[in-house]
Amino acid sequence: MQVYDTTLRDGAQREAISYSVVDKLAVARLLDEFGVGFIEGGWPGAMPKDTEFFRRARTELDLKHAVFVAFGSTRKAGVRVQDDPQVRALLEAETPAVTLVAKSDLRHVERALRTTAEENLAMVRDTVAYFVSEGRRVFLDCEHFFDGYRFDPDYTAGVAAAALEAGAEAAVMCDTNGGMLPSLITRTVGEVRERLAVALGVTPEEAVARLGIHCQNDTSCAVANTVAAVEAGVPHFQCTANGYGERPGNADLFAVVGNLQLKLGMPVLPDGCIEQMVRVSHSIAEIANIAPDTHQAYVGSSAFAHKAGLHASAIKVDPVLYNHIDPVVVGNDMRILVTEMAGRASIELKARELGVDLAGHPEALTRVTNRVKELEARGWSFEAADASFELLARAELAEGALPRPFALESYRVIVEHREDGAVVSEATVKVRVRGERVIATAEGNGPVNALDEALRVALARHYPELARFELADYKVRILEGSHGTGAITRVLVETRSTGEDWTTVGVHENVVEASWQALVDALSYGIAHQVRV
Ligand SMILES: CC(=O)SCCNC(=O)CCNC(=O)[C@H](O)C(C)(C)COP(=O)(O)OP(=O)(O)OC[C@H]1O[C@@H](n2cnc3c(N)ncnc32)[C@H](O)[C@@H]1OP(=O)(O)O
Ligand SMILES: CC(=O)C(=O)O
């Protein structure tokens, strides 16, 4: 089985991706750690960056698993292969393997290349034979293979046969326009295998073993199409990390590998590599400057996140009942989400995850469940606010007797627009801390910032650890009012301290009060945890 990655070539054709040379080196190292068999690095000679990447890779890339591959096209029509500057640049990349793209749809040969069927076949033969004679392993990407096969099966299969006869290791069937479906792939691979067996004078099994598959994702079937081809006997499959690629993208390497290895029992990666899946996926997303897709199969942070109460009630018995694999196998985690769809089981599991044992306290469990549903109906969202949920669960468990680090007497905020145009906010808070009444005032660049500062000043002497807490993110969402009320505001506050972060929520018609609730939870949770730690 050949896992062939083209993140650095086809993946780089995705809109908005622009890797630097250093980025490319880093992505190549990550893919190698993941254990892919081949890394296609780009098209030397097509753009200076790729030429430079191949030059630096010679000394800076020490691949442990993968064979390094340079991509280019067959020679130009009417040009001798050794005189074609693209071919020369490809050779000068000095990679052990090259992949050549060739037209395999007669309509493209005649209309895009503006040459004859015979000359295109000669371009394939000459270029493959040239690189083989130069000691390179050669793959031929047959562009528009499936569309071409439908139009003229003899010609398209003939391009693949010409490449294999000239010494190519694999003829890769490319669904370039990405319009295929798994059943069509299975059928076409079956037919091509028979045709190639006749053309090459080998058995159908030997013929299919020299084919590859490359699927664009225009029908959202690239992963399924790739798996279908492999199940039909094709051993070489091309993919990209996170499915990056031209238009909607390519087959997602992680889903394809997960499906083949974990569902079909094909050991496509070296031992110990599949556990790196989440890390490699997210690191590549980071380098590509694309936020990881939280709902991506296998690797997304929501890939094993369960929201429905019924799911959680079965998971409580055995996580296997509602997970298609053990998430740990690919380096992921299961999460239980607490929302209005939670039942008692969801609440119990989530609380346990947060260190609150509600299992032996059925009344408290019911109270927490009811309270979550009631608050969610009023606009709260605990899904992204574990810290507020934990405080709520602890408060219900203690039946209102949970000591809070401080009690509010009142707060006041004023916003002043000064003559010089400056807008300054000032907040005063009055709180009781460990029996002492404290009044503190602070300024801030906005009302919430001023409130946060004033509260910290008020609490600083009793809780010096507050100095380490940092407001990392602040999100406001306006929610439609219900039952004839006006709009309400939901605020999420993310707080960070010494490597830990936590999120809290507040909801009110008034954005300052919603922010205050989230801030109070943020500081209360932080203080409780820092003290516990
Ligand atoms: C299906 C795929 O995704 S394959 C990968 C495609 N990737 C890219 O195109 C990214 C990099 N490409 C580039 O930087 C440029 O397009 C280059 C350097 C390759 C070529 O640039 P230019 O020489 O300016 O040509 P241009 O892009 O306008 O047209 C492509 C030329 O290659 C020819 N061509 C296309 N496919 C092939 C092929 N398989 N074999 C030989 N020639 C080909 C076309 O007929 C056209 O020739 P012409 O200039 O004589 O009309
Ligand atoms: C080669 C390639 O990327 C394609 O045909 O889609």
Side-chain angles (χ1 to χ4, degrees):
M1 204 66 74
Q2 293 186 333
V3 188
Y4 182 108
D5 181 90
T6 175
T7 304
L8 294 173
R9 198 277 299 169
D10 201 320
Q13 289 173 223
R14 173 179 160 134
E15 187 173 8
I17 286 188
S18 177
Y19 296 117
S20 66
V21 172
V22 171
D23 290 340
K24 284 196 142 203
L25 289 164
V27 170
R29 288 187 192 105
L30 285 162
L31 291 167
D32 189 48
E33 284 163 25
F34 188 54
V36 303
F38 296 84
I39 295 174
E40 188 176 87
W43 189 332
M47 55 208 106
K49 202 195 313 178
D50 279 11
T51 307
E52 169 72 0
F53 169 60
F54 281 96
R55 191 187 63 71
R56 284 183 60 175
R58 282 203 282 278
T59 51
E60 295 179 40
L61 209 53
D62 180 20
L63 299 179
K64 303 279 184 295
H65 295 117
V67 173
F68 198 37
V69 188
F71 179 90
S73 78
T74 53
R75 69 162 172 81
K76 283 256 171 128
V79 176
R80 290 195 321 152
V81 67
Q82 55 273 40
D83 296 337
D84 188 315
Q86 289 290 339
V87 169
R88 231 183 359 259
L90 196 50
L91 195 63
E92 284 165 6
E94 292 183 20
T95 51
V98 296
T99 291
L100 304 167
V101 64
K103 303 284 186 201
S104 66
D105 181 334
L106 190 54
R107 293 165 298 186
H108 279 260
V109 174
E110 293 175 347
R111 296 176 61 195
L113 285 187
R114 298 179 306 281
T115 191
T116 63
E118 295 71 30
E119 171 62 356
N120 184 54
L121 287 172
M123 288 155 66
V124 169
R125 282 195 209 97
D126 291 355
T127 321
V128 171
Y130 179 71
F131 279 103
V132 171
S133 73
E134 291 288 342
R136 305 297 200 270
R137 294 170 71 174
V138 181
F139 301 98
L140 191 88
D141 275 0
C142 302
E143 228 193 322
H144 301 284
F145 185 91
F146 294 94
D147 301 332
Y149 186 84
R150 236 184 325 216
F151 175 69
D152 185 341
D154 287 338
Y155 188 76
T156 296
V159 171
L164 295 172
E165 280 166 345
E169 195 169 317
V172 182
M173 300 171 289
C174 297
D175 182 18
T176 307
N177 288 354
M180 295 297 284
L181 299 173
S183 56
L184 301 175
I185 295 273
T186 306
R187 192 191 324 148
T188 310
V189 173
E191 289 178 22
V192 171
R193 159 192 138 113
E194 302 301 323
R195 277 176 185 277
L196 274 186
V198 174
L200 302 175
V202 298
T203 64
E205 290 72 27
E206 287 166 334
V208 78
R210 299 192 61 188
L211 288 171
I213 185 77
H214 172 117
C215 295
Q216 300 298 141
N217 198 27
D218 299 67
T219 53
S220 239
C221 288
V223 169
N225 288 343
T226 305
V227 171
V230 173
E231 286 194 284
V234 173
H236 169 113
F237 56 93
Q238 303 194 347
C239 305
T240 62
N242 304 323
Y244 298 156
E246 188 87 27
R247 307 185 308 280
N250 206 292
D252 175 14
L253 168 71
F254 304 114
V256 171
V257 161
N259 290 345
L260 294 177
Q261 186 149 326
L262 303 175
K263 307 292 171 182
L264 298 176
M266 299 180 182
V268 292
L269 294 180
D271 285 351
C273 287
I274 204 156
E275 292 88 330
Q276 304 300 319
M277 196 184 272
V278 168
R279 182 182 70 84
V280 170
S281 163
H282 291 190
S283 302
I284 292 177
E286 193 64 44
I287 295 167
N289 202 20
I290 291 178
D293 175 0
T294 50
H295 290 77
Q296 193 174 336
Y298 289 99
V299 297
S301 58
S302 298
F304 301 94
H306 299 274
K307 186 162 174 175
L310 291 190
H311 294 211
S313 75
I315 286 171
K316 205 177 104 180
V317 178
D318 186 349
V320 162
L321 293 172
Y322 262 102
N323 285 319
H324 72 110
I325 57 162
D326 179 354
V328 172
V329 168
V330 293
N332 212 336
D333 290 319
M334 184 183 79
R335 291 186 303 125
I336 299 292
L337 304 176
V338 164
T339 73
E340 63 196 346
M341 289 188 198
R344 291 155 53 93
S346 317
I347 300 291
E348 184 187 324
L349 287 176
K350 187 69 193 183
R352 188 195 301 162
E353 188 185 307
L354 299 173
V356 185
D357 182 13
L358 293 175
H361 307 275
E363 289 93 11
L365 181 57
T366 302
R367 280 199 304 276
V368 177
T369 309
N370 293 343
R371 186 95 179 110
V372 164
K373 282 183 186 284
E374 175 205 328
L375 288 173
E376 290 255 339
R378 284 165 44 200
W380 262 259
S381 174
F382 290 100
E383 186 170 277
D386 278 2
S388 286
F389 171 73
E390 183 185 321
L391 291 173
L392 185 157
R394 287 190 189 281
E396 292 297 342
L397 188 59
E399 295 189 57
L402 184 74
R404 299 282 289 209
F406 59 92
L408 174 72
E409 188 179 307
S410 67
Y411 70 75
R412 185 176 61 218
V413 191
I414 53 171
V415 179
E416 185 184 357
H417 186 127
R418 291 181 179 155
E419 200 176 4
D420 62 1
V423 179
V424 179
S425 300
E426 184 185 297
T428 299
V429 298
K430 298 177 186 174
V431 288
R432 291 198 173 277
V433 200
R434 292 179 176 154
E436 187 188 346
R437 183 168 186 257
V438 186
I439 302 176
T441 298
E443 287 182 340
N445 54 19
V448 177
N449 179 236
L451 265 181
D452 185 30
E453 294 295 333
L455 189 53
R456 284 164 190 262
V457 171
L459 303 179
R461 199 161 49 80
H462 291 281
Y463 301 108
E465 62 271 29
L466 279 179
R468 292 197 303 271
F469 296 1
E470 187 193 327
L471 190 80
D473 200 4
Y474 173 79
K475 291 194 196 96
V476 178
R477 177 139 178 228
I478 308 297
L479 307 169
E480 281 299 312
S482 58
H483 307 300
T485 61
I488 52 171
T489 307
R490 179 197 297 150
V491 167
L492 288 171
V493 163
E494 186 185 325
T495 311
R496 190 169 298 149
S497 171
T498 48
E500 205 193 336
D501 44 47
W502 60 94
T503 304
T504 50
V505 61
V507 173
H508 201 268
E509 292 86 354
N510 183 310
V511 65
V512 174
E513 173 59 21
S515 307
W516 169 261
Q517 292 169 359
L519 279 175
V520 168
D521 268 9
L523 300 189
S524 303
Y525 176 92
I527 289 167
H529 270 251
Q530 301 284 323
V531 169
R532 269 210 300 278
V533 171

